[in-house]
């Protein structure tokens, strides 16, 4: 069996760390299994869906490297949903209801006041043809409910293990509104069958849909896919993340300098037993991904973890990958430069600071010019990879300074600050001429 999964966003907003989790988990699972990934745009709600948001979703997925094998728009597939609707209707599993929202609310209140569960009482199922005609003559349009079997529905969830729901304790779900619009439940199942989806992987907020959807899969004669409901993200302090999601869109994270691999790695591994650290690439992420490693507890999203992973991604980035981006920032000082400074990056843009520190102008920090003069007198005319250690040894012998007292003044003069990359490669990059001027206390 070839694994086939789908990511099914509604194009009613930009993608953020909360809803990208479904895309990333589906993608890494599919790629790890050598399977296929379908992008399904759930745009049956024509008032709230926009093409701009759809394009935004594609832009974000592409930037993240989450390529799709097939793409569908639900808005172009209504024929399929009408067929599914007719099929359920002919089986007596779909029935018209005429209650207004007010009537339903009132009935629910009465049920609650009597201590009864507030589930739909199926009054509409008992209507005679004449009663229906009377209601329609009054101008009422039906909405359509799926008649649940009222049995125990079981599935083995890849994250939650053995699950069971009693559909007798649920209201028959409304599948089609009175204006004829399909709600999410039926099109999703019709598509999953039609497209041959083998695994439905989504957030645990959908667990409540799964019982009814399995009954619909069975009624439509489709194979029931495997389900996996992953835990939702919470704030680092355990609170709901929803309040902050606005500032955690993929677009914002990109603008703040997060690497695409950082986001994929962080979000795929949150709530798993795998370490929250950088991996080589998406392929490696797919290979290490396993639902068995996923826990059921809410996954804590901590921006500090993301920052740490981002640094790890940059530290492991090859010059080949970095080169076009260095060029775009006017900071391509060659491979030796990249290898010298990458371990000091938190954000890619930090390369601009290091490029300036190498190429100048740098204002040297000078506490003791006499010490620097002594050091300059010993600086070799040509510099290579071993110069820093032989030179600092010579300075140590000549001045008696050692440890921090030896290195710190040299570093502060050469790069204008007291922390930074290893000085061996930096000295070579800075070059004899600029190094000499900085050691003399001049801006260079
Ligand atoms: N459009 C639905 C959502 O975004 C898809 C849910 C599903 O994966 O079945 O929540």
């Amino acid at each position: 069996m070839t694994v086939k999964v789908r990511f099914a966003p509604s194009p009613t907003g930009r993608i953020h760390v909360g809803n990208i989790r479904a895309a990333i988990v589906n993608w890494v699972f599919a790629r790890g299994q050598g399977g296929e990934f379908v992008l399904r745009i759930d745009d049956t709600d024509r008032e709230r869906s926009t093409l701009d948001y759809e394009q935004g979703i594609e832009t974000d997925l592409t930037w993240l490297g989450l390529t799709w094998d097939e793409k569908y728009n639900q808005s172009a597939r209504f024929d399929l949903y009408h067929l599914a609707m007719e099929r359920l209707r002919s089986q007596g599993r779909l029935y018209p209801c005429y209650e207004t929202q007010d009537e339903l609310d009132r009935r629910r209140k009465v049920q609650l006041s009597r201590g009864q569960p507030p589930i739909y009482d199926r009054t509409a199922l008992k209507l005679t043809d004449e009663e229906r005609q009377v209601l329609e003559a009054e101008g009422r349009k039906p909405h359509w409910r799926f008649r649940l079997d009222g049995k125990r529905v079981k599935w083995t969830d890849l994250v939650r293990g053995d699950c069971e729901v009693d559909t007798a304790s649920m209201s028959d779900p409304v599948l089609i509104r009175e204006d004829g619009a399909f709600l999410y439940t039926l099109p999703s199942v019709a598509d999953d069958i039609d497209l041959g989806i083998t695994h439905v992987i989504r957030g645990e907020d959908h667990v409540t849909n799964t019982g009814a959807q399995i009954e619909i899969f069975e009624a439509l004669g489709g194979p029931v896919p495997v389900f996996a409901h992953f835990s939702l993200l919470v704030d680092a302090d355990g609170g709901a993340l929803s309040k902050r999601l606005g500032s955690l869109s993929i677009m914002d994270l990109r603008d703040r300098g997060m690497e695409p691999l950082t986001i994929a790695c962080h979000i795929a591994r949150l709530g798993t037993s795998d370490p929250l650290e950088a991996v080589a690439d998406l392929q490696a992420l797919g290979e290490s991904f396993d639902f068995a490693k996923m826990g059921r507890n809410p996954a804590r999203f901590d921006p500090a973890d993301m920052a740490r992973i981002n640094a790890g991604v940059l530290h492991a980035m090859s010059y080949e990958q970095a080169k076009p981006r260095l060029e775009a920032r006017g900071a391509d000082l060659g491979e030796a430069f990249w290898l010298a400074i990458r371990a000091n990056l938190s954000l890619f843009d930090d390369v601009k600071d290091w490029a300036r520190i190498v190429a100048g102008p740098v204002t040297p920090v000078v506490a003791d010019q006499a010490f620097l003069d002594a050091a300059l007198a010993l600086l070799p005319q040509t510099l290579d990879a071993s110069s820093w250690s032989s030179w600092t040894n010579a300075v140590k012998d000549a001045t008696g300074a050692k440890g921090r007292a030896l290195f710190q003044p040299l570093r502060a003069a050469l790069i204008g600050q007291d922390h930074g990359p290893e000085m061996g490669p930096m000295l070579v990059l800075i070059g004899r001429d600029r190094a000499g001027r900085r050691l003399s206390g001049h801006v260079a």
Side-chain angles (χ1 to χ4, degrees):
M1 176 187 72
T2 306
V3 164
K4 193 170 184 185
V5 302
R6 83 294 196 281
F7 170 52
S10 305
T12 54
R14 282 304 279 250
I15 296 277
H16 49 66
V17 292
N19 46 28
I20 202 65
R21 186 150 150 93
I24 293 170
V25 172
N26 270 287
W27 196 94
V28 294
F29 173 71
R31 291 296 181 250
Q33 303 285 316
E36 289 168 19
F37 176 82
V38 171
L39 172 60
R40 187 185 86 197
I41 303 292
D42 282 7
D43 54 358
T44 52
D45 182 345
R46 285 172 160 170
E47 272 158 35
R48 294 178 58 223
S49 304
T50 74
L51 198 58
D52 271 359
Y53 284 135
E54 180 178 336
Q55 282 162 354
I57 290 168
E58 292 193 28
T59 303
D60 292 342
L61 290 178
T62 304
W63 178 73
L64 285 166
L66 307 180
T67 47
W68 50 95
D69 302 296
E70 295 166 21
K71 183 198 160 194
Y72 300 93
N73 283 72
Q74 286 198 322
S75 58
R77 295 168 62 81
F78 283 111
D79 289 353
L80 183 76
Y81 312 146
H82 280 112
L83 281 176
M85 175 182 175
E86 283 318 313
R87 190 153 176 189
L88 295 179
R89 217 175 137 176
S90 66
Q91 295 169 21
R93 297 296 297 273
L94 195 66
Y95 61 97
C97 304
Y98 296 87
E99 294 90 347
T100 62
Q101 197 53 51
D102 265 0
E103 286 165 347
L104 291 172
D105 288 345
R106 257 180 280 135
R107 243 183 256 173
R108 231 191 323 264
K109 277 188 197 134
V110 172
Q111 285 171 316
L112 286 170
S113 70
R114 291 184 185 153
Q116 295 165 347
I119 58 176
Y120 179 61
D121 61 9
R122 292 186 165 164
T123 302
L125 207 49
K126 294 155 209 146
L127 292 174
T128 61
D129 283 348
E130 291 82 61
E131 285 169 325
R132 275 194 211 103
Q133 277 161 16
V134 171
L135 287 164
E136 296 204 6
E138 277 174 15
R140 295 215 191 192
K141 290 221 163 54
H143 55 274
W144 299 80
R145 285 188 193 260
F146 177 70
R147 187 174 55 73
L148 292 165
D149 248 347
K151 60 177 188 188
R152 295 194 167 271
V153 176
K154 295 181 183 177
W155 77 93
T156 303
D157 196 287
L158 292 183
V159 181
R160 302 165 67 87
D162 288 336
C163 295
E164 190 174 318
V165 295
D166 176 6
T167 60
S169 67
M170 294 163 52
S171 292
D172 288 339
V174 176
L175 299 189
I176 299 147
R177 286 197 318 220
E178 61 177 27
D179 62 0
F182 285 91
L183 293 169
Y184 145 79
T185 315
L186 178 61
S188 182
V189 174
D191 280 332
D192 288 341
I193 295 173
D194 185 62
L195 304 177
I197 298 301
T198 60
H199 293 70
V200 169
I201 302 166
R202 56 191 182 187
E204 65 184 10
D205 49 335
H206 282 290
V207 169
T208 48
N209 293 325
T210 303
Q213 284 189 327
I214 288 177
E215 285 201 12
I216 298 174
F217 273 105
E218 287 169 346
L220 292 176
V224 179
V226 177
F227 286 90
H229 293 93
F230 50 78
S231 61
L232 300 180
L233 302 187
V234 292
D235 232 324
D237 60 16
L241 197 60
S242 47
K243 292 166 266 145
R244 292 184 39 224
L245 285 175
S247 63
L248 290 171
S249 73
I250 300 307
M251 195 171 49
D252 289 326
L253 291 170
R254 180 181 52 200
D255 291 349
R256 270 185 264 147
M258 291 301 121
E259 299 294 314
L261 185 58
T262 300
I263 299 173
C265 189
H266 187 196
I267 301 297
R269 289 197 157 179
L270 264 180
T272 74
S273 55
D274 276 328
L276 282 184
E277 63 190 25
V279 292
D281 52 26
L282 286 176
Q283 192 60 34
L285 198 57
E287 279 156 22
S288 66
F289 184 83
D290 186 347
F291 279 112
K293 297 179 188 168
M294 236 183 199
R296 288 187 53 173
N297 292 336
R300 281 170 198 263
F301 176 84
D302 187 344
D305 288 327
M306 189 170 266
R308 193 172 41 74
I309 297 170
N310 202 56
V313 166
L314 293 169
H315 301 176
M317 190 179 283
S318 70
Y319 176 60
E320 208 179 29
Q321 283 172 287
K323 187 173 168 54
R325 295 168 66 187
L326 290 168
E327 281 169 357
R329 288 163 178 79
D332 183 15
L333 304 185
E335 182 164 14
F337 166 73
W338 173 250
L339 296 179
I341 58 106
R342 65 180 180 178
N344 284 72
L345 303 176
S346 303
L347 300 172
F348 193 90
D349 259 345
D350 298 345
V351 296
K352 291 190 273 190
D353 297 334
W354 295 117
R356 190 197 41 80
I357 282 172
V358 166
V362 163
T363 305
V365 175
V366 179
D368 178 355
Q369 188 58 55
F371 174 78
L372 295 177
D373 288 341
L376 175 56
L378 295 164
L379 187 66
Q381 283 310 311
T382 52
L383 299 174
D384 61 29
S386 64
S387 300
W388 171 258
S389 83
S390 54
W391 175 53
T392 50
N393 266 326
V395 176
K396 179 170 129 192
D397 291 344
T399 64
K402 53 185 180 205
R404 200 178 140 73
L406 169 66
F407 297 112
Q408 197 278 334
L410 298 177
R411 178 185 282 274
L414 288 166
I415 66 172
Q417 56 187 52
D418 60 9
H419 67 275
E422 269 187 58
M423 285 306 293
M426 284 299 274
L427 181 62
V428 180
L429 288 162
I430 291 165
R432 178 66 177 76
D433 181 47
R434 270 192 299 261
R437 279 188 282 151
R438 290 179 194 174
L439 289 167
S440 311
H442 299 304
V443 175

